[in-house]
PDB file of all heavy atoms in Angstrom:
ATOM      1  N   THR A  38      69.425 117.553  87.905  1.00  0.00           N
ATOM      2  CA  THR A  38      70.579 117.121  87.132  1.00  0.00           C
ATOM      3  C   THR A  38      70.702 115.611  87.057  1.00  0.00           C
ATOM      4  O   THR A  38      71.421 115.117  86.207  1.00  0.00           O
ATOM      5  CB  THR A  38      71.877 117.676  87.776  1.00  0.00           C
ATOM      6  OG1 THR A  38      72.028 117.163  89.066  1.00  0.00           O
ATOM      7  CG2 THR A  38      71.885 119.186  87.772  1.00  0.00           C
ATOM      8  N   ILE A  47      80.521 102.787  97.845  1.00  0.00           N
ATOM      9  CA  ILE A  47      80.619 102.557  96.384  1.00  0.00           C
ATOM     10  C   ILE A  47      82.031 102.937  95.906  1.00  0.00           C
ATOM     11  O   ILE A  47      82.603 102.257  95.035  1.00  0.00           O
ATOM     12  CB  ILE A  47      79.522 103.231  95.598  1.00  0.00           C
ATOM     13  CG1 ILE A  47      79.456 102.678  94.169  1.00  0.00           C
ATOM     14  CG2 ILE A  47      79.686 104.749  95.598  1.00  0.00           C
ATOM     15  CD1 ILE A  47      78.216 102.996  93.419  1.00  0.00           C
ATOM     16  N   VAL A  57      92.667  95.256  92.444  1.00  0.00           N
ATOM     17  CA  VAL A  57      92.812  93.924  91.814  1.00  0.00           C
ATOM     18  C   VAL A  57      93.350  94.005  90.433  1.00  0.00           C
ATOM     19  O   VAL A  57      94.223  93.212  90.055  1.00  0.00           O
ATOM     20  CB  VAL A  57      91.408  93.194  91.849  1.00  0.00           C
ATOM     21  CG1 VAL A  57      91.396  91.950  90.982  1.00  0.00           C
ATOM     22  CG2 VAL A  57      90.991  92.859  93.286  1.00  0.00           C
ATOM     23  N   ILE A  70     110.517  89.680  86.297  1.00  0.00           N
ATOM     24  CA  ILE A  70     111.770  90.419  86.422  1.00  0.00           C
ATOM     25  C   ILE A  70     112.591  90.019  87.644  1.00  0.00           C
ATOM     26  O   ILE A  70     113.793  89.781  87.561  1.00  0.00           O
ATOM     27  CB  ILE A  70     111.472  91.939  86.457  1.00  0.00           C
ATOM     28  CG1 ILE A  70     110.890  92.408  85.137  1.00  0.00           C
ATOM     29  CG2 ILE A  70     112.759  92.730  86.788  1.00  0.00           C
ATOM     30  CD1 ILE A  70     110.329  93.791  85.113  1.00  0.00           C
ATOM     31  N   ALA A  73     110.549  84.963  92.562  1.00  0.00           N
ATOM     32  CA  ALA A  73     109.777  84.750  93.787  1.00  0.00           C
ATOM     33  C   ALA A  73     110.329  85.539  94.953  1.00  0.00           C
ATOM     34  O   ALA A  73     109.609  85.861  95.907  1.00  0.00           O
ATOM     35  CB  ALA A  73     109.690  83.256  94.124  1.00  0.00           C
ATOM     36  N   GLU A  78     108.548  87.377 102.415  1.00  0.00           N
ATOM     37  CA  GLU A  78     108.172  88.165 103.590  1.00  0.00           C
ATOM     38  C   GLU A  78     109.394  88.845 104.259  1.00  0.00           C
ATOM     39  O   GLU A  78     109.303  89.923 104.814  1.00  0.00           O
ATOM     40  CB  GLU A  78     107.457  87.313 104.644  1.00  0.00           C
ATOM     41  CG  GLU A  78     106.059  86.977 104.249  1.00  0.00           C
ATOM     42  CD  GLU A  78     105.339  86.217 105.344  1.00  0.00           C
ATOM     43  OE1 GLU A  78     105.632  86.457 106.520  1.00  0.00           O
ATOM     44  OE2 GLU A  78     104.525  85.362 104.990  1.00  0.00           O
ATOM     45  N   LYS A  80     111.930  90.157 102.899  1.00  0.00           N
ATOM     46  CA  LYS A  80     112.662  91.019 101.911  1.00  0.00           C
ATOM     47  C   LYS A  80     113.221  92.235 102.666  1.00  0.00           C
ATOM     48  O   LYS A  80     112.498  92.925 103.419  1.00  0.00           O
ATOM     49  CB  LYS A  80     111.692  91.414 100.835  1.00  0.00           C
ATOM     50  CG  LYS A  80     112.310  92.199  99.696  1.00  0.00           C
ATOM     51  CD  LYS A  80     111.294  92.326  98.572  1.00  0.00           C
ATOM     52  CE  LYS A  80     110.824  93.727  98.495  1.00  0.00           C
ATOM     53  NZ  LYS A  80     110.005  94.029  97.338  1.00  0.00           N
ATOM     54  N   SER A  82     114.663  95.109 101.444  1.00  0.00           N
ATOM     55  CA  SER A  82     114.471  96.459 100.893  1.00  0.00           C
ATOM     56  C   SER A  82     113.034  96.731 100.533  1.00  0.00           C
ATOM     57  O   SER A  82     112.277  95.839 100.127  1.00  0.00           O
ATOM     58  CB  SER A  82     115.370  96.661  99.678  1.00  0.00           C
ATOM     59  OG  SER A  82     114.970  95.849  98.625  1.00  0.00           O
ATOM     60  N   LEU A 103      95.866 109.329  83.479  1.00  0.00           N
ATOM     61  CA  LEU A 103      95.394 109.213  82.114  1.00  0.00           C
ATOM     62  C   LEU A 103      93.905 108.839  82.058  1.00  0.00           C
ATOM     63  O   LEU A 103      93.171 109.372  81.259  1.00  0.00           O
ATOM     64  CB  LEU A 103      96.241 108.212  81.321  1.00  0.00           C
ATOM     65  CG  LEU A 103      97.655 108.661  80.939  1.00  0.00           C
ATOM     66  CD1 LEU A 103      98.415 107.528  80.249  1.00  0.00           C
ATOM     67  CD2 LEU A 103      97.582 109.899  80.027  1.00  0.00           C
ATOM     68  N   PHE A 104      93.528 107.920  82.917  1.00  0.00           N
ATOM     69  CA  PHE A 104      92.094 107.538  82.949  1.00  0.00           C
ATOM     70  C   PHE A 104      91.255 108.698  83.408  1.00  0.00           C
ATOM     71  O   PHE A 104      90.150 108.952  82.841  1.00  0.00           O
ATOM     72  CB  PHE A 104      91.881 106.314  83.876  1.00  0.00           C
ATOM     73  CG  PHE A 104      91.996 105.001  83.155  1.00  0.00           C
ATOM     74  CD1 PHE A 104      93.066 104.176  83.413  1.00  0.00           C
ATOM     75  CD2 PHE A 104      91.018 104.566  82.270  1.00  0.00           C
ATOM     76  CE1 PHE A 104      93.191 102.949  82.773  1.00  0.00           C
ATOM     77  CE2 PHE A 104      91.118 103.343  81.601  1.00  0.00           C
ATOM     78  CZ  PHE A 104      92.217 102.537  81.860  1.00  0.00           C
ATOM     79  N   GLY A 141      97.525 113.689  96.598  1.00  0.00           N
ATOM     80  CA  GLY A 141      96.635 113.754  97.794  1.00  0.00           C
ATOM     81  C   GLY A 141      96.322 112.407  98.354  1.00  0.00           C
ATOM     82  O   GLY A 141      95.966 112.269  99.555  1.00  0.00           O
ATOM     83  N   ALA A 172      88.152 118.253  93.423  1.00  0.00           N
ATOM     84  CA  ALA A 172      87.364 117.327  92.642  1.00  0.00           C
ATOM     85  C   ALA A 172      86.224 116.763  93.489  1.00  0.00           C
ATOM     86  O   ALA A 172      86.283 116.833  94.734  1.00  0.00           O
ATOM     87  CB  ALA A 172      88.248 116.178  92.156  1.00  0.00           C
ATOM     88  N   VAL A 173      85.225 116.280  92.804  1.00  0.00           N
ATOM     89  CA  VAL A 173      84.177 115.479  93.447  1.00  0.00           C
ATOM     90  C   VAL A 173      83.965 114.226  92.615  1.00  0.00           C
ATOM     91  O   VAL A 173      84.227 114.216  91.426  1.00  0.00           O
ATOM     92  CB  VAL A 173      82.831 116.236  93.599  1.00  0.00           C
ATOM     93  CG1 VAL A 173      82.951 117.388  94.627  1.00  0.00           C
ATOM     94  CG2 VAL A 173      82.318 116.750  92.276  1.00  0.00           C
ATOM     95  N   ARG A 176      77.773 110.222  90.693  1.00  0.00           N
ATOM     96  CA  ARG A 176      77.145 109.074  90.020  1.00  0.00           C
ATOM     97  C   ARG A 176      75.708 109.478  89.625  1.00  0.00           C
ATOM     98  O   ARG A 176      75.153 110.419  90.189  1.00  0.00           O
ATOM     99  CB  ARG A 176      77.123 107.833  90.897  1.00  0.00           C
ATOM    100  CG  ARG A 176      76.234 107.941  92.093  1.00  0.00           C
ATOM    101  CD  ARG A 176      76.290 106.691  92.892  1.00  0.00           C
ATOM    102  NE  ARG A 176      75.345 106.747  93.987  1.00  0.00           N
ATOM    103  CZ  ARG A 176      74.879 105.673  94.634  1.00  0.00           C
ATOM    104  NH1 ARG A 176      75.264 104.509  94.275  1.00  0.00           N
ATOM    105  NH2 ARG A 176      74.057 105.803  95.598  1.00  0.00           N
ATOM    106  N   VAL A 185      56.919 101.128  93.638  1.00  0.00           N
ATOM    107  CA  VAL A 185      56.334  99.981  94.327  1.00  0.00           C
ATOM    108  C   VAL A 185      54.870 100.240  94.587  1.00  0.00           C
ATOM    109  O   VAL A 185      54.468 101.305  95.057  1.00  0.00           O
ATOM    110  CB  VAL A 185      57.043  99.745  95.712  1.00  0.00           C
ATOM    111  CG1 VAL A 185      56.403  98.614  96.463  1.00  0.00           C
ATOM    112  CG2 VAL A 185      58.534  99.447  95.448  1.00  0.00           C
TER     113      VAL A 185
END
Side-chain angles (χ1 to χ4, degrees):
T38 62
I47 194 163
V57 168
I70 295 169
E78 287 185 33
K80 187 169 107 172
S82 66
L103 287 175
F104 271 110
V173 291
R176 68 179 185 160
V185 175

